[in-house]
Amino acid sequence: MVFAIQNFFSRLAGHRWFWWACAAIWGIVLFTLSSRSTLPPGPQIPYQDKVIHFLYFSGGGFCCALALFSHAVPPKPGWVWWLTGILFGMIVGALDEYHQTFTPGRSGNDAGDWLADLTGAGTGAWIAWILLKWVRRQVPSNPA
């Protein structure tokens, strides 16, 4: 079962277009959600907004890093993936916060949200690096 999952992800990682498509869909959903004056209510958890920002941007960092680096030969070191995720989160997070200032009912320019965005994106990119490294170590690249 584990080998099947590794093999599936290994094949999926080889399709850069898939990760670019995921990143594009991620961005469209982000823009759509940021354009809404109100978001659906959910359970009230302390710092829920920051957790949501962190988790959502970890997905964006994950997809962006795989789109950029999954084909790199030799593989880029983990710190490059992490730093790329951080930069992605910084730029897209700042643009998102700025965009929210024009949305009625939203505040925008929240430094805490922006910090959650960049740390989430960096974490997502780093997880992508770990996962790809693990998969490539386990799945033979040239089955003969």
Side-chain angles (χ1 to χ4, degrees):
M1 177 67 169
V2 172
F3 180 74
I5 293 170
Q6 291 170 328
N7 194 21
F8 174 75
F9 186 76
S10 178
R11 284 182 290 154
L12 192 59
H15 298 289
R16 287 178 104 171
W17 63 267
F18 175 78
W19 297 109
W20 282 119
C22 287
I25 291 167
W26 178 92
I28 291 167
V29 170
L30 175 69
F31 184 82
T32 302
L33 290 175
S34 293
S35 298
R36 295 182 68 180
S37 293
T38 59
L39 296 174
Q44 294 302 314
I45 302 168
Y47 303 105
Q48 173 181 355
D49 182 39
K50 307 312 179 230
V51 171
I52 290 170
H53 275 261
F54 179 89
L55 293 174
Y56 190 76
F57 270 79
S58 68
F62 184 90
C63 294
C64 179
L66 282 170
L68 290 171
F69 301 130
S70 64
H71 283 73
V73 176
K76 301 283 185 205
W79 69 267
V80 172
W81 289 59
W82 176 77
L83 186 59
T84 301
I86 294 285
L87 292 173
F88 170 82
M90 287 175 69
I91 294 166
V92 176
L95 290 172
D96 178 52
E97 288 300 315
Y98 181 68
H99 172 242
Q100 287 181 28
T101 62
F102 297 102
T103 304
R106 302 289 292 271
S107 60
N109 290 331
D110 183 337
D113 286 352
W114 181 72
L115 185 60
D117 296 345
L118 69 95
T119 56
T123 302
W126 183 68
I127 289 170
W129 173 74
I130 289 172
L131 186 58
L132 192 62
K133 187 174 162 185
W134 175 69
V135 165
R136 287 186 174 162
R137 186 177 325 146
Q138 302 297 326
V139 176
S141 60
N142 205 2

